[in-house]
Amino acid sequence: MAYTPPTNGSGGKLIATVNADKTVSGKVLSSEDNAPLPGVSVVVKGTTTGTNTDGEGNFKVNVKDDAAVLVFSAVGFEKQEIPVGNRSTINITLVTDQKSLNEVVVVGYGTQKKSQMTGAISQVTAKQITEMPLTNLGQALQGRAAGVDVSQSGSKPGAAPRILIRGRRSFNAGNDPLYVVDGIPLSAGYEDVNPNDIQSIEVLKDATATAIYGARGANGVVLVTTKRGGTKGKTTVTLDTYAGASKAYSKLELFSGEEFAEYVREAYRATGLYRDAAGNPVPTGVADPAADAKVAVLGGDPNVAAGIAAGRNTQYQDLILRTGLMQNHTIGIQGGNDRTSFYISGGFFQDKGITKGLDFTRNSLRVNVDHQVNKRLKVGVSSYMMYSIRNGENLNPYGNTLNANPLGAAYNADGSLIFEPTNDALLSNPLSEIVDGVNIDNTKRYRIFNSIYAEVKIIDGLTYRLNLGPDFTLSRFGRFIGSETNNRRRGDAQAFNENRFGFNFTMENIVNYNKTFGKHTLNLTGVQSIQKDNFERYRSEVQGIPAQAQSFFSLNSATSVLGVQSSLTEWTIASLMGRVNYSFDDKYLLTMTIRRDGSSRFGENTKYGNFPGIAVGWNISNEPFMKNVTFVDMLKLRGGWGQVGNQGVAPYQTQGLLGRTTYAFGATGAFGFRPGTISNPNLRWESTATSNIGLDFSVFRGRVQGSLEFYQTNTKSLLLNDFLPGSVGFNFFSNNVGHTRNSGIELGLTTVNVNTKSGFKWTTDFQFTRNREEIVELYNGKVDDLGNRWFIGYPLNTYFDFKKAGIWQTNEADLAKSYGSEVGQIKVQDTNNDGRITADDRVLIGNDVPKWSGGLTNRFEFKGFDLSFFLFGRFGNTILSGFHRNQLQLAGRYQQIKVDYWTPNNPTNEFPRPKSNQEFPVYNSTLFYYDGTFIKLRNINFGYTFSNAIAKKIGAESLRLYASIQQPKIWSSYLTKYNGVDPEAAITGSPTGTTEVNSGVTPSTTVTTFGLNVKF
């Protein structure tokens, strides 16, 4: 029978008409047990005519002529296309789709089938990467890989997210993963890579998987594989392009001009200084002109007095923010034949931020070529060239708007800027910071990253491969601070110029042997590797640039030199690695790895370390007793243990370094050098051991599949400062002491929820992560370090402070006085109930590690239309709000976050009474901590793929249009209840990843884009 789709959104019917000249019927069976298959989609290729098999596997469909082709498809089975010919009856058997089980996953120095993997590895595919507009690969990982925590490091254009794999484990050696692109470890940032070039991302999470990278595997490994060419002799051209607008998701709500004036009055009332002409106190809620005139911030400033009279309300946030622009265009050419394949792409990405002066532009070119010279020799190259320009990386014009008095005027009557809107000597006009040429922060970055290989097939199953990875990086950072900026306040202009040159070279010799004999499969891999890094830095800083137009390009014209610096840093790591993968009957799996690394960064006695790993797997579903359990496609249990290292210590740290000092020779001064640090020839790697148990599963012909992981990671020999007696002449030296632990659960799940005969399909990806991070031991054993706020049994960043119990109310005046406070001020919890507030009353407030985090992606498809949305959330963590520290002084001088503060007429328990004689409220740190829980609707993408017939009219194979909106909604109590900002937009403040949401962050953005995917 003919198939008629439902009506469209306009009320008309989407009807496909076919001249039914003949009817074809038949039956569809399963290859597993020859049982009838109900619900199989049977469609006439190139049309919308089709049907589904009934409960007995039978179908009947009308076709136009003998040239018709029937397409049979069902979840869990391979699609088949059958020409009709002169037949009227077609019976077929669908073969179980083993593609997902036999999918090849990159594991480092080779690949493995999913069914034979023994380590904890998450994968993000090209399809997932293209589901939303991306700036860098870090955004592609957020919420898509269990155990991988990705958080924004601010919202400035070009900012790269922070990536943590299974939590933090180190205080001083860094917690960033190792990034490997096309087999070559990166020495510089991952943000240079064009995400449109990425074929897949694999994240190695446990030590059995990361042991192949030994001394650099403790924080996990991110393997990036870029796109390669084809072998079918056909060349295709793809265009992926989008453009759109960005705007601030939200702004801090500050006091209006009228509210600001009243807040200042209240601050002076609290200290008895807001009095009328007769000297009488003016009560709360009453404005008195004579009293205003006595307050310097109000009537004492003619500009502000005029603002009060005019009812002025200058909100500099609104004046400095704008609508941004984001665009990305990538053209890819892919093709080849059985001997040569190629992939060439050119990319242009630009993000003009929501604040003038902040933007990022990246131009990229990639050429990947593989050539089969003869039956034994294959060679290839992956070359990536990038040129980027970033403006405003270290500027914060938005932050300057948060203190500015709203009663001052930003512009003169003629439209020109007023540099000093008020008499406050520390506050210039925030808009002066974004005047063209006055405040420049410009970084130009050039990079050429190459992966070159030659692979020789020695005998059947035995290959030798040579990898070469030259990586060139050149960057120039220029800074100009003009006279009319808040930094210089009409003093001499300053400028500096910094140039950085980096060259990193990797060479690897890899031998690989594959052999299958009977039920045994053996893979042996041996690697000899060396990587060298050379980094030069030159910086000149001057003052007194005579003309603003010279910026930082003419330092020699300055009147004085503030400083000249230069440095050279070199390091080398040499390695040997061996790995054995063994499988018996595809049931029992074994992986053994050993790597030996030697690093120039460590002490003379400890330059080399050994890093072993072992893992086993059991494909339960391949056992005979599972043959009758037909709903299970794959069930694999695996477990492993491994030990890896962290070499993230600065070069030369193990050596005794000199520091410059001054000497006096009689009446003459001279420079000299003295011992600056104590050497430690025994300083060695931080050692991380991980135990991991995982379960991989696929059931109901692939309708539900995923992985479940349980792990525990112990990191010992931490690189910490060990303290010394002062008589030695040094307070501390670097030593291997301390112990941290991470343990957790991860779940990655993919489901096919609906797949109907009408063509409607709904699938879901879900990622869940719960990681517990704790300090087990410090340099002094299992003893807390209160100075650093390190506590045994708690995460590396724990908030330890006094706890706010409310605000002292009028009926508590005597009790407040006994505690040395007063009505309207912060009431602190007396934890030990001794009648006074001391350091002993501090408590553990919380920590920045979420109790759990997760991502949820839903995809819907229906007759060419597709819709997807992505939710990401972090739950149960505490954040430190720098906004409530820096923009909540309540001293009556600067603009403030609009908060519910205490007055005699408003006896709230939220925030204290303003007070003009204290810079900050006493115990104001109790106002900094908030619940960091949030849920984000990260992306909504709606698209339509045109039919082949329409695509061919423009000479294309496929054509898709789409619209996308990023971050349209955030649910967070910190943002809505406490007038905060995006709780994810944090600034990393230490090697441990300690984060703080503060005024150095520009507002998070909502980005609306429209895009096109076309393939020729």
Side-chain angles (χ1 to χ4, degrees):
M1 61 181 180
Y3 170 66
T4 302
T7 60
N8 62 21
S10 303
K13 291 188 176 182
L14 302 173
I15 301 177
T17 59
V18 176
N19 296 323
D21 293 338
K22 64 184 288 187
T23 299
V24 178
S25 61
K27 193 166 190 171
V28 182
L29 305 177
S30 167
S31 64
E32 292 181 333
D33 50 13
N34 283 327
L37 281 179
V40 176
S41 171
V42 185
V43 178
V44 180
K45 187 175 182 180
T47 74
T48 55
T49 301
T51 185
N52 274 20
T53 57
D54 61 20
E56 299 299 321
N58 298 312
F59 72 91
K60 185 181 292 185
V61 65
N62 295 326
V63 300
K64 186 177 180 180
D65 51 39
D66 291 350
V69 176
L70 297 183
V71 180
F72 297 83
S73 60
V75 174
F77 291 89
E78 293 182 4
K79 181 187 294 186
Q80 286 195 42
E81 296 186 4
I82 305 295
V84 173
N86 59 4
R87 293 176 293 178
S88 59
T89 301
I90 297 177
N91 297 320
I92 72 163
T93 299
L94 288 185
V95 178
T96 303
D97 185 3
Q98 295 292 326
K99 184 167 54 180
S100 62
L101 306 183
N102 293 329
E103 246 177 34
V104 172
V105 176
V106 178
V107 295
Y109 301 114
T111 59
Q112 269 189 317
K113 291 181 181 179
K114 274 189 176 180
S115 61
Q116 294 185 335
M117 279 170 35
T118 54
I121 301 176
S122 292
Q123 184 183 51
V124 178
T125 64
K127 179 181 178 181
Q128 293 172 301
I129 293 170
T130 56
E131 280 181 335
M132 57 186 285
L134 300 174
T135 305
N136 51 63
L137 69 88
Q139 294 173 341
L141 289 173
Q142 187 176 57
R144 306 298 180 96
V148 182
D149 184 48
V150 181
S151 58
Q152 294 178 210
S153 56
S155 298
K156 292 181 179 180
R162 183 195 66 173
I163 299 176
L164 291 176
I165 299 176
R166 291 185 169 180
R168 298 166 298 200
R169 52 198 59 82
S170 176
F171 290 98
N172 294 315
N175 291 286
D176 295 326
L178 173 68
Y179 298 94
V180 180
V181 177
D182 290 331
I184 304 299
L186 294 183
S187 61
Y190 69 81
E191 63 272 14
D192 292 333
V193 178
N194 181 354
N196 289 89
D197 290 335
I198 297 175
Q199 181 63 35
S200 69
I201 304 173
E202 276 83 11
V203 182
L204 313 185
K205 297 183 290 187
D206 70 332
T208 63
T210 64
I212 57 172
Y213 290 103
R216 295 175 288 181
N219 299 323
V221 181
V222 178
L223 303 177
V224 179
T225 303
T226 60
K227 295 175 181 177
R228 315 301 293 186
T231 59
K232 296 182 178 180
K234 181 180 180 182
T235 299
T236 60
V237 178
T238 58
L239 171 63
D240 297 302
T241 180
Y242 67 79
S246 59
K247 63 177 183 178
Y249 176 83
S250 65
K251 296 172 289 187
L252 283 175
E253 187 178 2
L254 307 177
F255 288 133
S256 67
E258 182 180 348
E259 291 166 339
F260 175 79
E262 182 53 34
Y263 137 72
V264 174
R265 294 177 184 122
E266 191 61 33
Y268 281 82
R269 283 191 195 99
T271 55
L273 298 177
Y274 192 71
R275 296 174 179 273
D276 61 19
N280 300 312
V282 180
T284 295
V286 178
D288 184 273
D292 282 353
K294 298 176 183 179
V295 178
V297 183
L298 295 178
D301 184 335
N303 299 318
V304 177
I308 295 174
R312 186 181 294 141
N313 179 26
T314 305
Q315 292 296 320
Y316 290 94
Q317 284 186 96
D318 297 332
L319 296 176
I320 208 167
L321 295 177
R322 65 180 181 181
T323 298
L325 170 67
M326 182 180 289
Q327 58 178 320
N328 183 67
H329 314 286
T330 300
I331 296 178
I333 305 172
Q334 197 170 25
N337 52 36
D338 57 353
R339 293 197 62 181
T340 304
S341 64
F342 60 89
Y343 171 77
I344 303 171
S345 77
F348 173 79
F349 173 83
Q350 185 178 64
D351 183 3
K352 289 188 175 181
I354 57 174
T355 303
K356 186 177 179 181
L358 274 63
D359 58 72
F360 174 72
T361 302
R362 181 181 61 221
N363 302 273
S364 64
L365 175 66
R366 173 173 292 279
V367 178
N368 292 352
V369 179
D370 302 279
H371 178 64
Q372 189 76 47
V373 179
N374 52 47
K375 65 179 183 179
R376 293 192 178 277
L377 177 62
K378 185 178 182 180
V379 296
V381 61
S382 299
S383 184
Y384 181 70
M385 290 156 277
M386 188 279 310
Y387 166 51
S388 68
I389 304 173
R390 185 177 182 185
N391 289 304
E393 179 180 359
N394 301 289
L395 294 183
N396 184 29
Y398 173 77
N400 293 330
T401 69
L402 305 179
N403 289 326
N405 190 324
L407 295 169
Y411 297 96
N412 290 305
D414 61 1
S416 59
L417 279 179
I418 301 174
F419 182 67
E420 294 177 334
T422 68
N423 287 344
D424 194 314
L426 297 181
L427 293 178
S428 62
N429 191 333
L431 301 178
S432 65
E433 304 294 308
I434 60 171
V435 172
D436 287 339
V438 75
N439 209 357
I440 300 175
D441 182 281
N442 176 267
T443 301
K444 289 186 176 180
R445 183 176 172 88
Y446 309 83
R447 189 167 187 182
I448 302 177
F449 178 82
N450 301 281
S451 175
I452 306 166
Y453 76 89
E455 185 173 287
V456 180
K457 183 178 179 182
I458 301 173
I459 58 174
D460 185 33
L462 179 64
T463 60
Y464 163 75
R465 181 182 176 109
L466 172 65
N467 281 348
L468 299 176
D471 184 1
F472 304 86
T473 304
L474 168 64
S475 62
R476 191 272 295 138
F477 174 52
R479 182 80 167 93
F480 174 78
I481 308 169
S483 176
E484 289 208 341
T485 60
N486 197 57
N487 186 295
R488 300 304 301 148
R489 298 197 58 81
R490 291 180 170 153
D492 289 340
Q494 291 183 347
F496 66 81
N497 204 324
E498 181 171 308
N499 292 280
R500 301 175 181 180
F501 305 90
F503 176 63
N504 187 278
F505 183 77
T506 301
M507 183 179 71
E508 296 177 328
N509 294 283
I510 307 170
V511 177
N512 196 284
Y513 179 70
N514 278 294
K515 184 68 175 179
T516 298
F517 41 98
K519 295 183 177 181
H520 306 274
T521 300
L522 180 66
N523 172 255
L524 303 176
T525 303
V527 177
Q528 182 271 325
S529 170
I530 187 166
Q531 186 171 10
K532 292 186 175 184
D533 191 84
N534 177 290
F535 180 77
E536 301 176 38
R537 174 178 170 270
Y538 304 90
R539 176 178 172 129
S540 301
E541 187 169 357
V542 301
Q543 181 170 296
I545 299 291
Q548 182 172 297
Q550 293 176 301
S551 187
F552 52 79
F553 297 108
S554 183
L555 301 187
N556 58 297
S557 65
T559 57
S560 60
V561 177
L562 298 180
V564 176
Q565 302 174 20
S566 63
S567 63
L568 169 66
T569 304
E570 295 180 305
W571 57 263
T572 302
I573 184 168
S575 312
L576 294 171
M577 191 277 289
R579 179 176 62 196
V580 177
N581 285 314
Y582 170 74
S583 168
F584 175 74
D585 201 19
D586 204 24
K587 297 178 187 176
Y588 312 112
L589 314 171
L590 172 67
T591 300
M592 295 187 295
T593 306
I594 182 71
R595 178 157 177 148
R596 180 171 175 81
D597 281 321
S599 174
S600 64
R601 301 188 188 206
F602 287 91
E604 288 296 327
N605 302 332
T606 54
K607 287 191 179 296
Y608 288 89
N610 299 318
F611 305 97
I614 184 169
V616 294
W618 177 26
N619 271 319
I620 303 172
S621 52
N622 290 346
E623 294 287 355
F625 60 79
M626 292 292 292
K627 285 190 178 296
N628 295 325
V629 187
T630 56
F631 70 91
V632 175
D633 313 317
M634 187 268 287
L635 185 64
K636 180 176 63 178
L637 180 66
R638 49 187 168 76
W641 174 91
Q643 189 171 33
V644 286
N646 187 349
Q647 69 150 10
V649 57
Y652 317 121
Q653 188 172 324
T654 61
Q655 303 175 18
L657 303 180
L658 295 176
R660 197 169 79 163
T661 186
T662 55
Y663 290 89
F665 292 95
T668 304
F671 288 114
F673 293 89
R674 59 175 175 78
T677 61
I678 297 180
S679 65
N680 183 358
N682 296 317
L683 198 68
R684 63 185 185 278
W685 329 85
E686 290 188 347
S687 176
T688 296
T690 299
S691 300
N692 192 95
I693 296 176
L695 181 69
D696 301 328
F697 56 89
S698 175
V699 296
F700 304 118
R701 300 200 300 269
R703 292 196 84 114
V704 180
Q705 54 184 308
S707 296
L708 179 64
E709 309 277 353
F710 299 88
Y711 65 88
Q712 185 176 96
T713 299
N714 287 281
T715 301
K716 298 182 179 181
S717 301
L718 296 175
L719 293 163
L720 286 173
N721 291 328
D722 210 348
F723 292 91
L724 296 169
S727 58
V728 176
F730 294 91
N731 295 322
F732 57 83
F733 73 107
S734 296
N735 201 8
N736 293 104
V737 288
H739 176 190
T740 60
R741 176 180 297 140
N742 281 272
S743 55
I745 303 172
E746 300 166 0
L747 174 65
L749 196 64
T750 298
T751 62
V752 180
N753 307 311
V754 177
N755 192 18
T756 68
K757 64 181 180 181
S758 65
F760 176 69
K761 187 176 182 181
W762 170 28
T763 62
T764 299
D765 289 344
F766 175 68
Q767 305 292 336
F768 169 87
T769 300
R770 188 189 191 285
N771 178 71
R772 184 174 180 233
E773 178 184 298
E774 61 179 311
I775 300 171
V776 178
E777 190 174 322
L778 292 168
Y779 54 86
N780 52 354
K782 295 187 177 182
V783 179
D784 296 339
D785 181 342
L786 295 181
N788 286 306
R789 299 185 179 183
W790 294 337
F791 300 93
I792 304 301
Y794 289 88
L796 277 64
N797 182 39
T798 297
Y799 302 120
F800 179 69
D801 208 334
F802 296 103
K803 186 174 183 180
K804 174 174 163 281
I807 304 297
W808 290 112
Q809 301 299 323
T810 305
N811 61 356
E812 300 175 302
D814 292 338
L815 185 58
K817 187 176 181 181
S818 71
Y819 277 99
S821 189
E822 61 182 292
V823 172
Q825 297 303 297
I826 297 172
K827 182 199 297 184
V828 175
Q829 175 180 290
D830 183 2
T831 305
N832 58 12
N833 294 312
D834 64 352
R836 57 198 182 103
I837 301 300
T838 66
D840 294 335
D841 292 309
R842 292 176 297 173
V843 296
L844 294 170
I845 302 295
N847 60 78
D848 63 355
V849 178
K851 292 181 179 177
W852 69 278
S853 61
L856 180 71
T857 303
N858 280 284
R859 302 179 187 88
F860 304 90
E861 300 174 18
F862 181 70
K863 297 189 179 303
F865 291 96
D866 61 88
L867 171 68
S868 67
F869 67 87
F870 172 39
L871 289 163
F872 172 71
R874 191 176 286 128
F875 304 87
N877 58 306
T878 300
I879 58 174
L880 173 63
S881 175
F883 284 106
H884 287 79
R885 176 186 59 204
N886 302 328
Q887 273 68 52
L888 194 59
Q889 298 176 349
L890 294 176
R893 179 174 180 178
Y894 302 116
Q895 172 68 297
Q896 306 283 288
I897 298 176
K898 184 177 179 180
V899 295
D900 182 21
Y901 60 83
W902 190 96
T903 71
N905 298 342
N906 181 43
T908 179
N909 273 296
E910 289 294 332
F911 293 92
R913 186 182 193 182
K915 199 173 179 183
S916 66
N917 63 356
Q918 59 187 26
E919 187 175 2
F920 295 97
V922 179
Y923 300 118
N924 72 314
S925 64
T926 61
L927 305 174
F928 300 167
Y929 309 105
Y930 295 89
D931 180 10
T933 297
F934 69 82
I935 300 175
K936 287 187 174 185
L937 181 53
R938 175 67 78 192
N939 184 69
I940 303 175
N941 193 304
F942 177 71
Y944 179 72
T945 301
F946 291 88
S947 67
N948 292 341
I950 293 177
K952 287 179 180 178
K953 289 182 179 180
I954 64 169
E957 286 188 17
S958 62
L959 174 65
R960 177 177 179 264
L961 295 175
Y962 68 90
S964 175
I965 181 168
Q966 296 181 63
Q967 200 162 266
K969 184 63 178 176
I970 303 174
W971 293 270
S972 163
S973 63
Y974 170 67
L975 193 156
T976 56
K977 183 178 179 180
Y978 293 104
N979 194 10
V981 293
D982 180 356
E984 185 193 1
I987 294 294
T988 300
S990 77
T992 62
T994 301
T995 53
E996 175 181 319
V997 180
N998 65 27
S999 54
V1001 179
T1002 57
S1004 289
T1005 57
T1006 296
V1007 185
T1008 303
T1009 58
F1010 296 90
L1012 168 70
N1013 306 126
V1014 59
K1015 182 177 181 180
F1016 297 95

